[in-house]
Amino acid sequence: MTLDIALTLAILLAVILLFVTERLRPDLVGLFVLVILVIAGLVTPTESIAGFSNPAVVTIWAVFILSAGLARTGVAAKLGEQVIRLARARPNQSRGSDEARLLTVLMTSTALLSGFMNNIGVAAMFLPVTIDIARRTGRAASRLLLPMAYASLLGGMLMLIGTASNLVISDFLRDVGLPPLGLFDFTPIGLAILVVSILYMNLIGRRLLPDRQTPRPLAAANSGMADRDLRTLYGLEERLAMLILPEDSPLAGRTLTDSRVGRALGLNILSIERKNGLRLAPDPTLILEGGDRLLALGRLDQFEQISNRPLFHLENDRPALQHLLAADAELAEFEIAPGSAFAGKTLVEVGVRQRFGASVLAMRRGDRVRRTNLQQLVLEPGDRVLIEGLPVHLRAFADQPGFRTLSLEEAEAYNLEKYLLVVSVPEGSALGGRTIQEARLGAAYGISVLNVIRQGRDWFLPDASLTLQAGDQLLLSGHTTDIEVLRGLQTIKLQPNVHIDLTELEDGPFAIIEVMLSPYTTLAGKTLRQLRFREKFGVSVLAIWRGDRAYRTGLADIPLQYGDAFLCYGSRERFEILARERDFFVLKLDVQEKPRLEKAPFAALIMLGVVAVVLLGWLPISVAAIAGAALMVLTRCLSMDEAYRAISWQAVFLIASMLPLGLAMQQTGAAALLANSVVNLVGPYGPVAILAGIMILTLAVNQFIPSAVNAVVMSPIALATAANLGVSPYPFMMGIAYAIASSFMTPVSHPANVLVMSPGGYRFSDYVKNGFAISLIVLLVGIPLLPIFFPF
């Protein structure tokens, strides 16, 4: 083994480990691999960036645009409507045979469409269609969604453009001087695999599918189902309460946002009923009035803790400003520069206190000074920030523009005096025995604890884990109006266990609708609070469904995951705006963006034209796909912005940056070394056994790394194996293509699997049961047929 081979295999192993551990984004891993290969001298700089102009990569992004054109003009939706029509139950037909017919129609339609379109897009488009079919036929959605997702993957085996990995494999053949794969080379064996898979699902597989009724607000909202109440589906009936504002409430005259009713009490406000009976939507800018009745959703723990129990007493005789510089603390200010790491982030995201041990007291933006409710304020270039901390901690900001320490006199320009409060914790306070973090003074009331004085001892910028005690004196950064808000919250009257039909809230322009994170989302790992979801989109999240359970409390601070579903409440107009966001998928057809039906004939003709031009050999598929994408925009099936948004740039960068690794495996001999190992292991049993070994190896690796990367890794090995045996590489290359498309066994092996997990309430084991069987079908059908259609 040479040094170059060892380096290449070490990089390959590191790539697999990074993909398995998910420590870095896949596309970022690819970019690092590209750079490391050049530094190690395994590829030239020109070879390292050649992937970005590779015909396979070009075809991939062009197909994304073609798929978007078919979806945006309603071509795909029309096909979905035909599926619903064909799926309707026939009279005098048993439930079992009806379900078999239903699975056959659904899987066939999904697979055929997925042959021409991106399979993730097809799965996303058929998701609401499949849920609607389940509702109309009286079935649990879990009986249909997983077969639909599997069909979208099986469709990738029908045509060259079915998956990105097919195009990558074809391009490896072109690079070694062999004819690339044809558009329909995959079809005969792909159809055989599809037919056998559908037969399996009808005879055996459907018996392994769970009959799990999961929350389907879409179905309930569309059909008015009497037996599936929304409150029961998401368990909301346990969390409804009515909050009643007294006539003389201190909250009267404040907006819903300023009252902090939702944030402080950890509740979602669903509606507001006036004394005259008028019911209003919970607009953040709505002015509250005495006598208002607020329908709230959530746990009442926080309300019960502050109700009729003073949290603290305001100490009016304490010189708060003098306590500011206790324990040798200092004041400093600095400016947010245009290229600063702080720009565009909130103070919570920056973690000034947690990471740097300092506290932000105020912020100046132009002529305006902000001193309260700073936690969620987004920092902008030009902002001047006043911070407090020990000298050792303030040094972390010394390299920021305009950094300087300030005396109390110099800080008077920030007018801090009226925004510093000294309070004491009385006996019986809900704060007693709770840590500062548990007290939620910052998140709930916009108040920061700067200092704790206990029996003459100061805890400057106390740790969030410090437990408060009766008798403690707290130096707070806030305003007396914040205390007034707290007192107003304490006067609210509670009417628990309210029995209200939530469908009443859907009168007029408002609706309760389910929204999912899309397969293309960039928001995984972020919280709704960080996204400012309610402020940005104007809808409230009532619950989050993840896996097989609903979460109804603390939603704002739950890190989001792929496959999460949100039960949301808001105006239909707001949902229509949300439906245009690439990060979300709204599971209600009537609020999704209306298709351009008048452009559907153009989109269909363009797609057929691309296929015809490639079949006739007039243009290579990459150029034909670009022409089709351009025509989609020229004929206004898509706007240019929509075309750019349709491209999964993460996939494009991942494939383009990983292609040099495949080249390095070929040039260094690493692929030949691995191929020799395969030949030595199963070579005595003939080329069919070697083909089976390579397909099984590909299938195993496919569970851990992205399919396109697997194509980059396995293609050189397949080519080297064929060269070692002196046979045609086509059966081996086609074999790994089918194996790579077999991402059935885990929910994370393909975005289409993740997409149906929450709507179907599936567990990991549900994927293994049928996924293993269909993967086995791919092997049992593919291995005997490959030498027939692609002789050795």
Side-chain angles (χ1 to χ4, degrees):
M1 181 186 295
T2 66
L3 178 61
D4 284 352
I5 292 177
L7 280 173
T8 303
L9 294 178
I11 293 171
L12 176 60
L13 179 61
V15 166
I16 294 174
L17 288 175
L18 285 171
F19 283 139
V20 171
T21 59
E22 298 182 345
R23 297 294 297 272
L24 294 174
R25 286 171 49 121
D27 47 350
L28 185 59
V29 172
L31 293 173
F32 276 120
V33 167
L34 183 153
V35 174
I36 292 170
L37 289 172
V38 174
I39 294 174
L42 300 175
V43 297
T44 66
T46 301
E47 290 170 336
S48 70
I49 60 175
F52 291 94
S53 60
N54 183 281
V57 174
V58 172
T59 306
I60 288 166
W61 63 251
V63 168
F64 275 118
I65 297 175
L66 290 171
S67 298
L70 293 175
R72 187 69 187 84
T73 57
V75 173
K78 284 293 182 184
L79 292 175
E81 290 175 5
Q82 294 304 310
V83 174
I84 293 176
R85 185 180 61 82
L86 293 171
R88 287 174 182 160
R90 295 176 181 175
N92 304 320
Q93 191 169 32
S94 69
R95 186 174 179 83
S97 60
D98 180 48
E99 185 171 73
R101 182 181 60 83
L102 182 58
L103 286 174
T104 301
V105 172
L106 179 62
M107 293 185 69
T108 301
S109 304
T110 305
L112 292 179
L113 190 58
S114 186
F116 291 89
M117 291 178 61
N118 172 262
N119 48 20
I120 304 173
V122 172
M125 184 200 70
F126 268 86
L127 180 60
V129 172
T130 306
I131 291 171
D132 194 44
I133 293 173
R135 175 187 62 79
R136 295 190 186 193
T137 57
R139 288 177 173 80
S142 59
R143 303 290 298 172
L144 302 177
L145 285 173
L146 195 56
M148 180 275 292
Y150 284 165
S152 72
L153 302 181
L154 290 166
M157 303 180 189
L158 297 180
M159 289 183 63
L160 176 64
I161 60 175
T163 67
S165 54
N166 292 353
L167 293 165
V168 171
I169 290 167
S170 177
D171 200 65
F172 267 97
L173 288 167
R174 182 187 61 80
D175 286 344
V176 296
L178 294 171
L181 297 172
L183 193 62
F184 289 101
D185 282 354
F186 288 82
T187 307
I189 299 177
L191 278 175
I193 293 172
L194 175 62
V195 170
V196 176
S197 297
I198 292 175
L199 287 173
Y200 161 79
M201 287 303 301
N202 282 325
L203 298 175
I204 301 173
R206 65 187 178 92
R207 293 174 170 81
L208 302 177
L209 291 169
D211 195 357
R212 202 172 290 133
Q213 185 64 53
T214 54
R216 293 296 91 220
L218 173 67
N222 282 345
S223 65
M225 296 168 60
D227 58 331
R228 299 303 299 176
D229 183 84
L230 280 177
R231 292 179 297 156
T232 303
L233 288 171
Y234 261 89
L236 302 184
E237 75 285 352
E238 306 166 9
R239 306 291 175 88
L240 288 173
M242 190 70 74
L243 307 180
I244 305 170
L245 270 59
E247 291 290 343
D248 58 349
S249 172
L251 301 181
R254 299 181 186 274
T255 66
L256 184 59
T257 298
D258 292 341
S259 74
R260 295 182 169 269
V261 173
R263 179 171 293 181
L265 303 181
L267 301 173
N268 257 311
I269 306 303
L270 304 183
S271 71
I272 299 169
E273 185 179 338
R274 297 291 196 207
K275 289 183 292 186
N276 60 8
L278 179 64
R279 177 172 287 169
L280 304 172
D283 190 303
T285 61
L286 180 71
I287 304 296
L288 296 178
E289 298 178 0
D292 281 348
R293 296 166 58 87
L294 283 63
L295 179 63
L297 172 69
R299 295 179 60 176
L300 301 176
D301 307 31
Q302 192 72 14
F303 180 87
E304 292 168 352
Q305 286 168 355
I306 71 167
S307 180
N308 300 316
R309 297 174 63 191
L311 289 182
F312 39 65
H313 292 311
L314 187 62
E315 300 287 337
N316 295 319
D317 58 343
R318 304 282 302 185
L321 199 58
Q322 298 304 317
H323 286 273
L324 191 60
L325 300 185
D328 299 323
E330 292 184 356
L331 299 175
E333 68 173 357
F334 65 91
E335 184 174 323
I336 304 296
S340 171
F342 300 154
K345 296 181 179 179
T346 66
L347 293 176
V348 172
E349 293 169 334
V350 172
V352 174
R353 187 157 182 170
Q354 293 79 5
R355 292 173 55 196
F356 302 105
S359 183
V360 176
L361 301 179
M363 189 201 73
R364 181 185 295 276
R365 178 173 295 167
D367 296 330
R368 185 183 180 189
V369 177
R370 294 284 297 269
R371 288 159 290 247
T372 59
N373 302 321
L374 300 174
Q375 288 84 356
Q376 299 302 322
L377 199 64
V378 178
L379 298 174
E380 298 178 359
D383 290 345
R384 295 196 64 81
V385 182
L386 178 67
I387 57 175
E388 175 201 25
L390 296 173
V392 65
H393 295 146
L394 295 184
R395 290 194 201 110
F397 302 92
D399 59 345
Q400 297 295 321
F403 176 85
R404 67 186 184 117
T405 58
L406 302 177
S407 65
L408 282 177
E409 291 74 20
E410 291 173 313
E412 286 181 356
Y414 285 93
N415 195 19
L416 294 175
E417 182 70 45
K418 66 170 69 173
Y419 293 93
L420 294 175
L421 309 169
V422 176
V423 300
S424 60
V425 180
E427 290 288 346
S429 168
L431 296 181
R434 304 177 71 188
T435 65
I436 293 176
Q437 182 175 7
E438 292 169 344
R440 297 179 65 248
L441 294 176
Y445 310 107
I447 297 172
S448 299
V449 180
L450 304 178
N451 200 358
V452 176
I453 306 167
R454 179 180 300 165
Q455 297 177 350
R457 178 183 175 187
D458 284 359
W459 272 279
F460 171 69
L461 289 182
D463 189 88
S465 61
L466 178 67
T467 301
L468 300 175
Q469 299 177 6
D472 285 349
Q473 291 183 319
L474 314 180
L475 176 62
L476 306 178
S477 172
H479 193 274
T480 52
T481 56
D482 297 319
I483 306 299
E484 286 299 310
V485 167
L486 174 58
R487 289 172 178 164
L489 295 173
Q490 291 178 311
T491 65
I492 292 176
K493 303 301 180 184
L494 173 67
Q495 181 184 340
N497 303 321
V498 176
H499 298 288
I500 292 180
D501 186 355
L502 290 182
T503 57
E504 294 179 8
L505 301 180
E506 298 192 275
D507 292 340
F510 299 96
I512 297 175
I513 295 176
E514 196 170 34
V515 177
M516 287 189 66
L517 284 183
S518 81
Y520 307 107
T521 187
T522 58
L523 306 181
K526 298 181 180 179
T527 66
L528 293 173
R529 191 186 306 280
Q530 290 171 335
L531 299 176
R532 300 176 64 83
F533 185 86
R534 182 166 184 171
E535 292 83 354
K536 183 176 181 181
F537 298 110
V539 298
S540 301
V541 177
L542 308 182
I544 295 178
W545 188 268
R546 177 176 297 168
D548 57 357
R549 64 158 293 189
Y551 295 83
R552 296 172 291 252
T553 57
L555 304 181
D557 298 310
I558 296 178
L560 303 179
Q561 295 181 7
Y562 291 104
D564 280 351
F566 316 138
L567 186 64
C568 299
Y569 176 65
S571 70
R572 296 177 189 274
E573 180 183 0
R574 290 289 187 172
F575 280 115
E576 289 173 2
I577 295 173
L578 185 61
R580 301 189 193 110
E581 293 288 325
R582 184 177 172 82
D583 288 302
F584 300 101
F585 187 65
V586 180
L587 291 181
K588 195 166 187 180
L589 298 175
D590 62 359
V591 297
Q592 292 180 1
E593 199 169 7
K594 299 297 182 289
R596 302 185 180 108
L597 296 176
E598 72 280 3
K599 298 294 183 181
F602 293 103
L605 286 173
I606 290 170
M607 191 70 208
L608 290 174
V610 169
V611 173
V613 165
V614 174
L615 281 178
L616 294 171
W618 293 348
L619 289 173
I621 188 170
S622 56
V623 178
I626 292 175
L631 286 172
M632 285 288 188
V633 176
L634 185 64
T635 57
R636 298 186 179 179
C637 296
L638 291 172
S639 68
M640 201 67 198
D641 288 340
E642 288 171 333
Y644 281 124
R645 287 198 302 268
I647 300 171
S648 176
W649 292 108
Q650 179 178 345
V652 170
F653 271 74
L654 174 63
I655 296 169
S657 58
M658 289 299 297
L659 284 173
L661 178 59
L663 181 63
M665 291 179 65
Q666 288 179 298
Q667 293 180 345
T668 61
L673 179 66
L674 295 175
N676 287 336
S677 301
V678 175
V679 172
N680 292 336
L681 183 64
V682 292
Y685 302 101
V688 174
I690 296 174
L691 171 63
I694 287 181
M695 288 183 69
I696 292 171
L697 175 63
T698 304
L699 195 60
V701 174
N702 211 45
Q703 310 310 313
F704 305 104
I705 65 176
S707 57
V709 176
N710 198 9
V712 171
V713 171
M714 294 304 303
S715 292
I717 297 175
L719 288 170
T721 300
N724 193 323
L725 295 173
V727 298
S728 169
Y730 285 95
F732 296 100
M733 297 296 275
M734 291 295 294
I736 65 172
Y738 290 124
I740 289 172
S742 304
S743 303
F744 306 110
M745 286 193 282
T746 68
V748 296
S749 58
H750 196 277
N753 294 343
V754 178
L755 187 67
V756 300
M757 189 173 188
S758 285
Y762 295 117
R763 303 186 180 110
F764 191 93
S765 59
D766 295 324
Y767 291 85
V768 176
K769 290 174 186 175
N770 280 312
F772 178 81
I774 297 181
S775 298
L776 190 60
I777 288 171
V778 172
L779 296 176
L780 294 178
V781 174
I783 292 171
L785 291 181
L786 279 166
I788 297 174
F789 288 93
F790 302 93
F792 291 110

